[in-house]
């Protein structure tokens, strides 16, 4: 097989099964790719070359011995640094955990290892998953492969950029208010937030426990579905884990790839359009809706009036939960410990000094905001009201799904913005999540897929939202739209059009440095 | 509408056990004032008898059987601690200087 780094996970799997290549070759090719581009991209915080190659050799040996293997066995993967990995540094993008080596694997990581996916490394992220741009990583930002002066989205910008730049065929992310889907949207990749509770959170460093969810990042819908099949399922170590339910997301995606949406009723959310949405984003969205109609879908408008308050509710609930979850970073049992410069060295003063030195500006901002929202006198007006808005969001979605099979919107109001553009304006940054947040508040699944480019050539994203446990249909519909979009683009995924700022302009073998891609 | 001033930020930071510099306190006061004004609209968005939802799933306590199982290796855990002694986490004095 000639092109190991631009192939999809499905193609890599088939090539290994046919004996055309090995996991060792594929893994080495991706490690070489990381070495070539990541100095510029900074998608990875840690690269685990030796362990990845050992895992690849192990799966190759099992295949050679005739063992039956999962479909993704041997396909390498990148893991967001908010997900703990035994014997591999996990920092969550924070100085607070710099150098920390977890003593256990997250359940999703254990599943990857058991299925034989070599873990290439840990990807960059906004500190403790707080941000929409990966500018708040304590270890420096990740660049967007489409334009290195622009953000790759956040908080999972590292995972999305790694997949977009062919530095990993697959990645795991975590999504609290859009941190898988928004980076997918601005990097031209696929990102999925599963139904809350359907993928274990055991070993995910919690930001806001009622909102966080682990999910897949990929370059095609079927690749995402395959990875999702692998990580989903009940986990007795996660008390919020749903009981096991049969699922076959990859089968659903493959069924959808025929591009037929006959009989599907699609709802356009009235409140996720108009002012604030860039004209090109809106235009690409409307073109995609037209493609769904061409595929046989019936399109109607749905009203979700509570969505207008969802952003405010989210920015009360999320920091409130974060202020509680991050209390564990106190300099006592793991991570950083800083002693006060003056005065007595008591536990309380060490905690304050450690947290003052170890947390970055966005984390401090959200902890203080959460402390305010939960404090006496404000609790009912802020936190209590936010939780009631959450009820309204769930009711609006329930009513909508009584009429339609799937809800669609642009994933983000804009394409990737430039570094620094919103870093001093927190509300402008927070507004970027306006279309992704409702799914987290309600716990329903949502998927972003690339649906075109703006006038600057930057990717736009299209979001599909389904009812709880509705991933199967979501994958079918997304694959159908993906097939229609690929037809409109000339039969190739959007990422093969990555045209801008080749990541390695001196290398004529770079797949993003071909004549067709310039 | 309450306003967030540096004294309030200092009080909240003390509650949250985070040392802030004077510059950080001043900057946070300005930023939080804008954020709180924006999110305060949440109280106007809901009226009537709407119950609060704290979680997407109904939650109940989950208990495992009380049987002995494998635990993490204490040496591995303590190796990641800022300080350890005699097989335990070593922490600063718990009580203040007046104790």
């Amino acid at each position: 097989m000639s092109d190991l780094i631009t192939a999809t996970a499905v193609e890599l799997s088939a090539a290994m099964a046919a004996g055309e290549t090995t996991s060792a070759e594929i893994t080495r090719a991706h490690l070489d790719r990381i070495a070539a581009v990541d100095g510029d991209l900074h998608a990875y915080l840690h690269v685990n070359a030796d362990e990845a190659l050992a895992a690849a050799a192990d799966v190759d040996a099992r295949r050679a011995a005739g063992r039956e293997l999962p479909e993704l066995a041997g396909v390498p993967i990148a893991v967001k640094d908010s997900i703990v990995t035994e014997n591999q540094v996990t920092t969550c993008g924070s100085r607070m955990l710099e150098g920390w080596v977890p003593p256990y694997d997250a359940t999703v990581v254990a599943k990857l290892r058991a299925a034989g996916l070599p873990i290439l490394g840990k990807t960059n992220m906004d500190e403790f998953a707080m941000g929409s741009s990966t500018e708040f990583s304590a270890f420096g930002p990740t660049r967007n492969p489409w334009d290195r002066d622009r953000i790759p989205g956040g908080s999972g910008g590292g995972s999305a950029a790694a997949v977009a730049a062919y530095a990993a065929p697959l990645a795991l992310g975590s999504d609290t208010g859009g941190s898988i889907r928004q980076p997918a949207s601005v990097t031209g990749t696929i990102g999925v937030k599963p139904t809350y509770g359907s993928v274990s959170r055991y070993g995910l460093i919690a930001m806001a426990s009622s909102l966080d969810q682990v999910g897949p990042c990929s370059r095609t819908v079927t690749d995402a579905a395959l990875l999702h099949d692998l990580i989903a399922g009940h986990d007795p170590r996660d008390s919020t884990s749903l009981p096991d339910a049969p699922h076959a997301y990859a089968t659903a995606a493959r069924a959808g790839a025929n591009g037929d949406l006959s009989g599907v009723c699609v709802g356009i959310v009235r409140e996720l359009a108009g002012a604030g949405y860039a004209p090109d984003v809106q235009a690409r969205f409307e073109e995609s809706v037209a493609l769904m109609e061409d595929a046989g879908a019936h399109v109607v408008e749905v009203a979700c009036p509570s969505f207008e308050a969802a952003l405010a509710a989210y920015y009360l609930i999320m920091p409130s939960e974060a202020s509680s979850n991050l209390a564990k970073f106190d300099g006592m049992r793991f991570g950083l410990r800083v002693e006060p410069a003056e005065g007595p060295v008591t536990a309380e003063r060490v905690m304050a000094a450690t947290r003052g030195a170890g947390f970055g500006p966005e984390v401090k901002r959200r902890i203080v905001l959460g402390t305010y929202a939960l404090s006496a006198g404000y609790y009912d007006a802020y936190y209590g009201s936010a939780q009631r808005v959450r009820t309204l969001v769930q009711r609006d979605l329930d009513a909508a799904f009584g009429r339609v099979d799937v809800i669609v919107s642009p994933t983000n109001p804009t394409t990737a913005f430039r570094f620094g553009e919103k870093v001093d304006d927190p509300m402008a940054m927070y507004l970027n999540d306006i279309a992704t947040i409702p799914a987290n508040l309600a716990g329903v699944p949502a998927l972003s897929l690339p649906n075109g480019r703006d006038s600057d050539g930057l990717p736009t994203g299209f979001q599909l939202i389904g009812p709880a446990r509705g991933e199967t249909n979501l994958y079918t519909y997304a694959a159908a739209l993906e097939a229609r979009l690929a037809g409109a683009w000339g039969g190739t995924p959007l990422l093969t059009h990555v045209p801008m700022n080749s990541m390695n302009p001196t290398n004529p073998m770079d797949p993003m440095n071909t004549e067709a891609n310039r | 509408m309450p306003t967030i001033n540096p004294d309030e930020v200092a009080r909240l930071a003390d509650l949250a056990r985070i040392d802030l510099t004077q510059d950080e306190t001043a900057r946070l006061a300005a930023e939080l004032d804008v954020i709180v004004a924006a999110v305060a609209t949440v109280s106007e968005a809901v009226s009537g008898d709407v119950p609060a939802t704290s979680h997407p799933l109904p939650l109940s306590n989950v208990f495992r059987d009380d049987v002995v199982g494998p635990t993490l290796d204490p040496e591995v855990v303590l190796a990641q601690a800022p300080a350890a002694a005699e097989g335990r986490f070593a922490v600063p004095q718990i009580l203040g200087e007046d104790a």
Side-chain angles (χ1 to χ4, degrees):
Chain A
M1 189 174 190
S2 60
D3 204 348
L4 297 177
I5 63 166
T6 58
T8 67
V10 168
E11 291 166 344
L12 292 172
S13 174
M16 282 186 281
E20 296 168 10
T21 187
T22 63
S23 178
E25 288 178 342
I26 295 167
T27 302
R28 196 172 294 112
H30 281 90
L31 291 168
D32 290 347
R33 174 70 178 168
I34 293 167
V37 303
D38 207 55
D40 195 18
L41 192 67
H42 197 214
Y44 284 87
L45 290 175
H46 318 282
V47 177
N48 305 307
D50 291 345
E51 188 180 309
L53 289 169
D58 179 61
V59 78
D60 286 339
R62 283 191 280 155
R63 194 184 301 277
R67 297 270 294 277
E68 192 171 331
L69 299 169
E71 184 166 350
L72 288 179
V75 177
I77 188 168
V79 175
K80 187 177 180 182
D81 209 29
S82 56
I83 301 170
V84 304
T85 42
E86 186 176 7
N87 297 327
Q88 294 181 10
V89 170
T90 299
T91 66
C92 220
S94 179
R95 296 281 178 205
M96 188 65 89
L97 285 175
E98 189 168 11
W100 181 58
V101 180
Y104 68 104
D105 273 333
T107 294
V108 289
V109 171
K111 288 186 173 191
L112 298 181
R113 294 194 203 275
L117 281 74
I119 296 172
L120 295 165
K122 306 299 287 294
T123 53
N124 200 9
M125 56 183 287
D126 286 303
E127 183 178 9
F128 287 108
M130 297 182 189
S132 303
S133 64
T134 314
E135 291 170 290
F136 294 117
S137 167
F139 306 105
T142 296
R143 296 173 182 274
N144 190 321
W146 291 78
D147 181 344
R148 285 170 290 177
D149 294 330
R150 294 179 188 267
I151 61 101
S155 64
S159 287
V163 171
Y166 300 101
L170 297 169
L172 284 184
S174 63
D175 191 313
T176 305
S179 290
I180 296 174
R181 290 163 287 157
Q182 184 254 5
S185 173
V186 299
T187 60
T189 56
I190 310 288
V192 183
K193 185 207 92 72
T195 297
Y196 183 85
S198 66
V199 174
S200 172
R201 291 186 300 110
Y202 178 77
L204 170 67
I205 297 173
M207 175 177 36
S209 304
S210 77
L211 304 164
D212 299 337
Q213 189 61 173
V214 175
C217 316
S218 67
R219 295 197 285 268
T220 68
V221 172
T222 304
D223 280 3
L226 269 172
L227 180 55
H228 198 160
D229 275 332
L230 185 59
I231 60 174
H234 179 69
D235 181 7
R237 289 182 293 188
D238 174 358
S239 66
T240 59
S241 178
L242 288 168
D244 233 337
H247 55 267
Y249 304 138
T251 303
R254 283 168 169 144
N258 65 12
D260 182 16
L261 290 172
S262 299
V264 177
C265 189
V266 176
I268 297 176
V269 185
R270 186 183 302 157
E271 288 77 12
L272 298 181
Y277 286 79
D280 283 350
V281 169
Q282 192 63 35
R284 297 297 89 76
F285 173 71
E286 288 165 8
E287 290 163 9
S288 296
V289 171
L291 283 177
M292 295 183 90
E293 286 184 299
D294 289 345
H298 174 59
V299 178
V300 300
E301 188 176 83
V302 296
C304 293
S306 66
F307 281 18
E308 290 177 351
L311 184 80
Y314 175 84
Y315 277 100
L316 288 164
I317 294 168
M318 177 273 297
S320 296
E321 294 188 14
S323 69
S324 173
N325 274 324
L326 269 59
K328 69 172 77 74
F329 300 103
D330 56 8
M332 297 297 132
R333 289 146 298 169
F334 48 81
L336 185 72
R337 176 181 290 180
V338 175
E339 297 191 353
E342 301 171 354
V345 183
T346 64
E348 190 174 281
R349 287 171 50 80
V350 169
M351 284 181 199
T354 299
R355 290 159 64 80
F359 288 142
E362 183 63 19
V363 175
K364 289 176 181 172
R365 187 155 60 204
R366 296 197 194 191
I367 289 177
V368 172
L369 176 60
T371 305
Y372 177 77
L374 292 176
S375 60
Y378 302 124
Y379 181 94
D380 287 337
Y382 292 158
Y383 186 72
S385 294
Q387 300 286 36
R388 296 169 76 203
V389 168
R390 191 171 191 168
T391 306
L392 297 179
V393 171
Q394 290 185 334
R395 287 179 180 177
D396 279 352
L397 284 169
D398 285 347
F401 288 125
R403 292 181 58 208
V404 303
D405 299 302
V406 62
I407 289 172
V408 299
S409 76
T411 308
N412 299 118
T414 67
T415 52
F417 49 88
R418 294 181 188 280
F419 285 111
E421 197 174 312
K422 300 186 181 184
V423 77
D424 293 324
D425 186 350
M427 281 316 299
M429 182 80 84
Y430 297 170
L431 272 167
N432 212 260
D433 302 331
I434 196 163
T436 52
I437 278 170
N440 299 84
L441 289 174
V444 299
L447 181 155
S448 177
L449 81 161
N451 70 330
R453 288 186 279 168
D454 71 1
S455 56
D456 292 326
L458 298 167
T460 55
F462 185 88
Q463 179 176 233
L464 300 97
I465 306 172
R469 300 187 192 225
E471 280 94 331
T472 302
N473 284 342
L474 218 51
Y475 278 116
T476 302
Y477 307 154
L481 177 57
E482 181 185 50
R484 295 276 172 166
L485 286 162
W489 298 329
T492 57
L494 182 65
L495 269 174
T496 59
H497 293 256
V498 171
M500 309 173 67
N501 293 355
S502 167
M503 296 305 301
N504 190 4
T506 60
N507 179 5
M509 298 303 290
D510 191 315
M512 285 188 285
N513 195 31
T514 63
E515 194 63 40
N517 287 338
R518 275 197 280 270
Chain B
M1 174 64 59
T3 55
I4 310 287
N5 57 41
D7 288 345
E8 177 72 346
V9 169
R11 185 184 74 84
L12 294 165
D14 188 47
L15 286 172
R17 303 280 186 269
I18 299 179
D19 281 350
L20 297 178
T21 65
Q22 282 192 335
D23 285 349
E24 284 179 316
T25 302
R27 182 172 48 77
L28 269 178
E31 291 170 351
L32 289 177
D33 206 41
V34 173
I35 296 169
V36 168
V39 298
T41 57
V42 78
S43 60
E44 301 155 14
V46 63
S47 60
D49 185 22
V50 177
T53 298
S54 64
H55 205 271
L57 300 173
L59 292 180
S60 58
N61 285 329
V62 177
F63 300 102
R64 65 171 169 81
D65 292 336
D66 187 14
V67 295
V68 176
T71 61
L72 293 173
D73 183 340
E75 288 186 13
V76 173
V77 174
L78 289 173
Q80 294 299 310
E86 300 174 9
R88 300 177 179 88
F89 295 109
V91 301
Q93 71 178 83
I94 299 298
L95 303 174
E97 59 183 341
D98 297 334

